[in-house]
């Protein structure tokens, strides 16, 4: 009885020291990072647009730092000739050994599809790019893009459909973001040195200003504080959100819409793929 009481009191203590974010508002939850009035918050904080002209892009970042949770953002991308532009929604910590979870939307010439580039960094090391075409026109309407993160896996979702799963493989010495609290960022910037056809296509400034729309940001996440260890069990579960039907759909997405996968880049890894690539393929086939 005494041990049960102790466990009960410990659980209450953890809950008391954990601050959970539910919902979101651009006015109250974010600061303008750069671009001044080019970051235009509207509708009482429920929507926002980011603009870029030849002088500057724009961006915002959350006031809080988070350690695990699910983050949703509805985004409508730049229409027409968006070549060279990069619209982003990502999480990042600070410092040279930072952690980061990236969604970058790479603009293209009119009529050519956007590329959604995903990546993550752990302890300052990235290089795990996987890029997708989308199965819809992301400039015609808002679509929901999500990052679902816990200690054991990261899931990237589009309109609630998982397109990429990154499992924690620290057991085989593959770094994974598990301990650094991260802020949420949304930005629009000039990436024409690399974004479209390897930098061969530059921004047509006669089309400026370029504008991306954002709305209905939502966070169901643990706000990191002095007792950040209390977040460790938040949103837990290696296979949470990954039932058999979703895994089947994930394979279909990969077979049809992936345009680049670092684990299939034989030129880059001519002398052998990283350990996480070999494990990735095995896990995709055998996990239940």
């Amino acid at each position: 009885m005494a041990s049960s009481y102790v466990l009960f009191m410990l659980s209450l203590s953890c809950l008391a020291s954990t601050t959970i974010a539910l919902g979101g508002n651009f006015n109250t939850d974010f600061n303008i990072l750069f671009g001044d009035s080019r970051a235009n918050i509207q509708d009482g904080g429920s929507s926002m647009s980011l603009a870029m002209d030849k002088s500057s892009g724009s961006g915002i970042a959350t006031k809080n730092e988070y350690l695990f949770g699910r983050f949703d953002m509805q985004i409508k991308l730049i229409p027409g000739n968006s070549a060279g532009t990069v619209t982003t929604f990502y999480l990042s910590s600070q410092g040279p050994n930072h952690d980061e979870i990236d969604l970058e939307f790479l603009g293209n010439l009119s009529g050519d599809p956007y590329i959604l580039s995903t990546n993550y960094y752990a302890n300052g090391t990235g290089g795990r790019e996987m890029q997708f075409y989308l199965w819809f026109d992301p400039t015609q309407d808002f679509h929901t893009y999500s990052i679902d993160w816990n200690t054991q896996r990261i899931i990237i979702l589009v309109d609630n459909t998982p397109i990429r799963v990154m499992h924690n493989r620290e057991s085989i010495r593959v770094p994974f973001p598990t301990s650094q609290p991260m802020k949420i960022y949304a930005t629009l910037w000039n990436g024409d040195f690399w974004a479209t056809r390897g930098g061969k296509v530059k921004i047509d400034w006669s089309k400026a200003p370029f504008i991306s729309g954002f709305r209905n940001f939502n966070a169901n996440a643990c706000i990191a504080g002095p007792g950040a260890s209390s977040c460790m069990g938040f949103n837990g579960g290696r296979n949470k959100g990954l039932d058999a039907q979703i895994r089947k759909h994930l394979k279909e997405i990969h077979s049809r819409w992936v345009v680049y996968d670092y684990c299939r880049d034989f030129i880059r890894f001519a002398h052998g793929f990283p350990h996480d690539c070999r494990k990735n393929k095995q896990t995709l086939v055998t996990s239940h």
Side-chain angles (χ1 to χ4, degrees):
M1 181 68 70
S3 61
S4 297
Y5 176 77
V6 170
L7 289 172
F8 175 71
M9 293 305 294
L10 284 173
S11 65
L12 286 181
S13 175
C14 287
L15 287 173
S17 62
T18 300
T19 304
I20 307 301
L22 294 172
N25 183 283
F26 291 112
N27 270 328
T28 58
D29 296 333
F30 288 83
N31 288 321
I32 294 177
L33 193 63
F34 64 99
D36 299 320
S37 61
R38 296 174 184 84
N40 183 18
I41 298 173
Q42 306 153 7
D43 302 321
S46 65
S47 66
M48 176 200 65
S49 63
L50 294 178
M52 180 175 67
D53 53 38
K54 203 166 186 177
S55 298
S56 178
S58 52
I60 60 171
T62 52
K63 299 174 182 177
N64 289 317
E65 293 181 313
Y66 304 90
L67 194 61
F68 313 122
R70 174 160 169 160
F71 310 90
D72 305 304
M73 185 79 80
Q74 292 186 345
I75 305 173
K76 184 179 180 182
L77 296 173
I78 301 163
N81 183 358
S82 58
T85 67
V86 181
T87 301
T88 74
F89 169 50
Y90 66 100
L91 279 68
S92 182
S93 63
Q94 305 299 310
N97 297 317
H98 74 294
D99 291 347
E100 189 171 327
I101 306 171
D102 282 338
L103 278 72
E104 296 180 327
F105 301 88
L106 312 182
N108 216 329
L109 295 168
S110 299
D112 290 340
Y114 265 85
I115 290 176
L116 168 54
S117 183
T118 66
N119 193 8
Y120 82 89
Y121 288 74
N123 298 323
T125 301
R128 302 176 178 90
E129 300 90 349
M130 195 169 186
Q131 299 180 340
F132 302 81
Y133 285 144
L134 297 168
W135 50 94
F136 52 83
D137 183 347
T139 72
Q140 293 298 306
D141 204 350
F142 285 88
H143 291 267
T144 303
Y145 304 92
S146 307
I147 299 169
D148 192 327
W149 169 42
N150 67 30
T151 58
Q152 296 174 302
R153 91 289 180 270
I154 299 163
I155 306 176
I156 305 298
L157 306 95
V158 176
D159 289 335
N160 210 35
T161 297
I163 64 167
R164 184 177 182 185
V165 180
M166 296 156 277
H167 284 293
N168 182 337
R169 297 191 175 84
E170 291 178 307
S171 61
I172 58 170
R173 300 180 182 178
V174 177
F176 195 80
T178 58
S179 60
Q180 296 189 52
M182 297 195 269
K183 291 187 176 185
I184 302 163
Y185 296 82
T187 65
L188 171 59
W189 47 277
N190 177 357
D192 71 1
F193 62 96
W194 72 276
T196 305
R197 301 183 187 178
K200 294 179 181 178
V201 182
K202 304 300 183 183
I203 291 178
D204 180 356
W205 291 110
S206 70
K207 307 296 184 184
F210 301 96
I211 299 173
S212 288
F214 299 77
R215 71 182 188 190
N216 296 337
F217 165 71
N218 186 70
N220 181 1
C222 187
I223 298 175
S229 60
S230 62
C231 292
M232 294 307 290
F234 187 83
N235 195 37
R238 177 178 176 82
N239 293 314
K240 181 182 178 184
L242 293 172
D243 61 26
Q245 185 62 33
I246 287 175
R247 290 181 184 280
K248 180 181 178 182
H249 197 183
L250 188 65
K251 287 185 179 181
E252 294 172 355
I253 293 286
H254 287 189
S255 67
R256 296 185 62 187
W257 301 107
V258 172
V259 295
Y260 176 80
D261 181 352
Y262 79 108
C263 286
R264 297 179 182 177
D265 192 334
F266 292 94
I267 297 175
R268 179 178 172 189
F269 298 109
H271 299 292
F273 285 99
H275 289 294
D276 45 321
C277 289
R278 294 194 289 270
K279 190 70 174 179
N280 262 330
K281 292 178 181 179
Q282 182 182 359
T283 301
L284 187 60
V285 173
T286 62
S287 293
H288 297 285

